[in-house]
Amino acid sequence: MAQLSESVTLDREGDVAVITVDNPPVNALSWHVRQGLSDGFAQAVEGGAAAIVLICAGRTFIAGADISEFSQAPKGPSLLDTQSAMENAPVPVIAAIHGTALGGGLEVALCAHYRVGLASAKFGLPEVNLGLLPGAGGTQRLPRLVGVPKALDMMTSGRHIGAAEAHADGLIDEMVDGDHDALRNAALAFAARAVANNMPLAKVRDRDEKVAEARGDEQLFADFRASIARKTRGFLAPEYNIRCVEAAANLPFEEGLQVEQQLFRELMTGPQSAAQRYYFFAERAANKIPDVPKDTPTVDIGRVGVLGAGTMGGGIAMNFANIGIPVTIVERDQESLDRGLGVVRKNYERSRSTTPQQVEERMALFTGSTDKADFADCDLVIEAVFEDMDLKKSVFAELDQICKPGAIMASNTSFLDIDQIASATSRPESVIGMHFFSPANVMKLLENIRGEATSASAIATAMDIGKRIGKVAVLSRVCPGFIGNRILAQRAVEANRLILEGATPEQVDRVLYDFGLPMGPFAMSDLAGLDIGWKAETSSGSNVREILCESGRRGQKNGRGYYTYDPDTRAATPDPEVVEMIREFAVSQGYEQREVSDQEVLERCLYPMVNEGAKILDEGIAIRGSDIDVVWVNGYGWPVYRGGPMYWADSVGLAEVVAKIREYGERLEGDHWKLSPLLERLAADGGKLHQFSN
Ligand code: 3HC
Ligand code: NAI
């Protein structure tokens, strides 16, 4: 066996050369991998091999370019040169794929003459999620194998497809059941057949029949663009990916490749991809807790308990049933339980990804009860009753009597003090916050909150189970609203003040929507319901929301809130009557009315968020600046192409942010305009919020 570089070896099985990549954890195409591959193909050919098998060690085939190299000076051979050595080899090259062949990894496989894959393997071009497009010929080769519609879908969504689908589409030539050894044997057998039968050196670049089907079909591309417009609003990369596929359909291979290269460079040097690449690592960093090492023992979660089957409880429970974990769900009475379980069933039935049989399988994992004693065999119990401290303390005192030793007791509270809740138990080390976002079965964010006494094992378990149910978990310490809602609250104060000074709800919402957020604060209030926490008996017309509620406006649910809603389409229209009501109230409170610029709206909504983020870091509530960005991207729809509020502030320039906060702070009241000392320090020292770590 020859070691070609630190990560690539060359082996011989009879007359077949075997090149093996071993670059943990995911066999990314680091410079030494490219070097080893280039040398490997050359040496295999020089050595007279009759065929070459490319295979990877460890958990996966090549999962893409090495993203950490993107911001460094180029080193070693380019990927295109490496691929060329492979595609132009004078003997058959067979790629043997297990795990995930993603991005540059799939692009390498597409330069083999044949591909065999394990039945468990997955394939995808996820570059779009990094604000990129496949820059190693993938945009031209994939459509030639799977056709234009499928390539458009895969490249603009980043979706991975399974081996069966890949086989049916012609992306792989053979699907293999079994383990890594079975894959290697199948690839060697394929190589032997290719040699014995003198099979052609099939180059994907020479295929034309599938792209020819879409040649000149402008309508196909126009329809596709329209179908993803809403989901991809503001993002550059999806459109650039489409342009490359258009080039694949309409231009010769080499010209298409040039289009790809030019658009790739443009994206790679632009701000959106820089933000999205930063975000890729931010999300993975969030999982690392300095004082909770990776090998911290976790509690085995065999059964989960959920207390309360309301808006949150039902959705929370679904997450566990979705991965096959049985759930005991307890409500205060049979009627509430039936209603809660009914909503869960409806959610499953409505979901297009769940077959009728799966609906029944998942529902069978639920045990409903009105007796908390049924939590006795649960390893994790998540409380999702009303947001009321006395109630939470009393149910935790009960849970303390019921739950088995070592079980984790979690609260889904959005604002309340986890330490106070834990004080109602005899085992505060087992109490933790697990704050899901609504709808809990859909939203990716899970904010875990460690109390003063929460054990490392409880933290490790909450982080781990979060990942297993497909969430992105971020750890926070205790403070009102934790990371996400505490920051949101600052924006709300300013948004409410802006409409008193003369901005309209529609203007504030539009500015934030145009910035890239899914909706502004007033549309959000209408969606949630203006009457949450409002009581007619105690309402005193002391703010705009009370006034709207008093006039019968409840938000989307009754078609009237800050906006009026079309009963059929639910489309929102700004309501002059509301604007007038706000104006009258503002004048009665002594607010002078004026034109507020869009720029002021943006700054006053977002800079207090940045300031609060810095305070959260200074107080040690969040571990790192990037964790705050992860919370805001996943929990509140902050546009990932702007990185997150901390990254965005850095890209604006902290000196500018500080100057503006000072300026606004001189004329506006409120703690949220009091400059964070950390922010001030970082601005002075040239530091960055998104790189700050406690
Ligand atoms: N480059 C560098 N590091 C990478 C990487 C990559 N492409 N992919 C993963 N890693 C690192 C992660 O940062 C993480 O490091 P850490 O342990 O220090 O935090 C480690 O590998 C494990 O990653 P995950 O925690 O994500 O492991 P999972 O098992 O959950 O997922 C995966 C594995 C599905 C491969 C996932 O890591 C993934 O989706 N990776 C990115 C794939 C991708 O985007 N490929 C395209 C790259 S761009 C490209 O190829 C350009 C080309 O067209 C020219
Ligand atoms: P909800 O009112 O929809 O549901 C609460 C459920 O708890 C009700 O079905 C009620 O019958 C049940 N319940 C109340 N007391 C009980 C008891 N003693 N025993 C058993 N069941 C009991 O409330 P929602 O919205 O689900 O909120 C629950 C918790 O989740 C709150 O702490 C809230 O702050 C938090 N949360 C809510 C979010 C939201 O968007 N609604 C988002 C994130 C957290």
Side-chain angles (χ1 to χ4, degrees), residues 273-600:
S273 177
Q276 288 178 257
R277 285 177 345 244
Y278 150 74
Y279 184 77
F280 175 86
F281 289 111
E283 214 172 82
R284 281 152 182 85
N287 220 17
K288 302 185 172 82
I289 316 300
D291 63 340
V292 181
K294 246 185 146 171
D295 56 0
T296 304
T298 54
V299 176
D300 266 344
I301 307 292
R303 174 173 281 276
V304 171
V306 176
L307 182 64
T311 309
M312 295 305 289
I316 292 171
M318 287 173 75
N319 288 304
F320 297 98
N322 290 348
I323 61 161
I325 298 181
V327 182
T328 302
I329 190 157
V330 175
E331 256 292 350
R332 49 186 174 162
D333 52 48
Q334 193 62 39
E335 198 189 330
S336 310
L337 180 64
D338 293 344
R339 193 202 52 225
L341 286 173
V343 172
V344 168
R345 174 176 279 281
K346 263 208 202 90
N347 280 340
Y348 277 133
E349 285 170 349
R350 262 203 302 252
S351 156
R352 263 178 289 152
S353 59
T354 329
T355 63
Q357 192 194 336
Q358 281 170 329
V359 174
E360 296 314 321
E361 281 165 12
R362 299 212 180 147
M363 289 311 296
L365 289 167
F366 283 83
T367 307
S369 164
T370 53
D371 186 358
K372 294 186 200 72
D374 288 334
F375 285 142
D377 60 348
C378 291
D379 306 292
L380 162 68
V381 176
I382 304 173
E383 164 279 309
V385 302
F386 306 131
E387 186 78 337
D388 173 323
M389 181 54 93
D390 289 340
L391 175 63
K392 303 248 184 213
K393 281 172 89 165
S394 88
V395 299
F396 268 79
E398 276 183 82
L399 291 177
D400 191 28
Q401 301 300 314
I402 294 163
C403 291
K404 61 185 179 190
I408 295 186
M409 302 190 294
S411 172
N412 182 50
T413 176
S414 338
F415 281 90
L416 300 176
D417 182 339
I418 297 295
D419 291 320
Q420 260 198 64
I421 295 175
S423 73
T425 74
S426 63
R427 37 177 154 166
E429 69 280 3
S430 297
V431 177
I432 190 165
M434 288 180 77
H435 181 209
F436 290 79
F437 286 66
S438 179
N441 53 320
V442 176
M443 293 294 287
K444 293 277 283 181
L445 181 64
L446 172 63
E447 225 178 7
N448 286 326
I449 298 101
R450 71 189 287 178
E452 281 303 321
T454 309
S455 70
S457 169
I459 295 170
T461 306
M463 297 302 286
D464 188 54
I465 193 78
K467 189 167 181 186
R468 279 179 57 205
I469 59 175
K471 303 291 180 200
V472 177
V474 174
L475 191 66
S476 171
R477 284 189 186 269
V478 175
C479 69
F482 318 123
I483 298 173
N485 283 339
R486 176 168 158 184
I487 289 178
L488 181 70
Q490 314 313 317
R491 188 184 79 179
V493 174
E494 271 319 286
N496 287 328
R497 188 143 66 184
L498 280 161
I499 58 170
L500 297 178
E501 292 177 23
T504 62
E506 186 271 334
Q507 182 191 7
V508 174
D509 283 352
R510 175 178 47 75
V511 167
L512 293 172
Y513 179 81
D514 288 348
F515 179 80
L517 285 151
M519 63 176 81
F522 300 105
M524 204 184 199
S525 298
D526 274 358
L527 182 65
L530 293 184
D531 55 350
I532 290 186
W534 176 80
K535 286 202 182 86
E537 315 83 72
T538 52
S539 187
S540 59
S542 64
N543 59 41
V544 171
R545 194 171 65 102
E546 286 194 340
I547 290 169
L548 293 181
C549 284
E550 286 166 19
S551 74
R553 292 176 176 267
R554 301 281 184 272
Q556 275 204 27
K557 63 177 130 181
N558 76 343
R560 300 165 74 230
Y562 284 100
Y563 300 85
T564 44
Y565 293 87
D566 184 297
D568 298 325
T569 63
R570 283 213 251 154
T573 317
D575 189 335
E577 194 183 301
V578 171
V579 174
E580 188 47 35
M581 283 162 80
I582 296 171
R583 203 190 60 80
E584 263 177 35
F585 173 71
V587 170
S588 77
Q589 300 292 303
Y591 283 90
E592 235 172 71
Q593 299 295 290
R594 66 184 172 91
E595 286 255 323
V596 181
S597 74
D598 286 356
Q599 184 62 20
E600 180 174 342

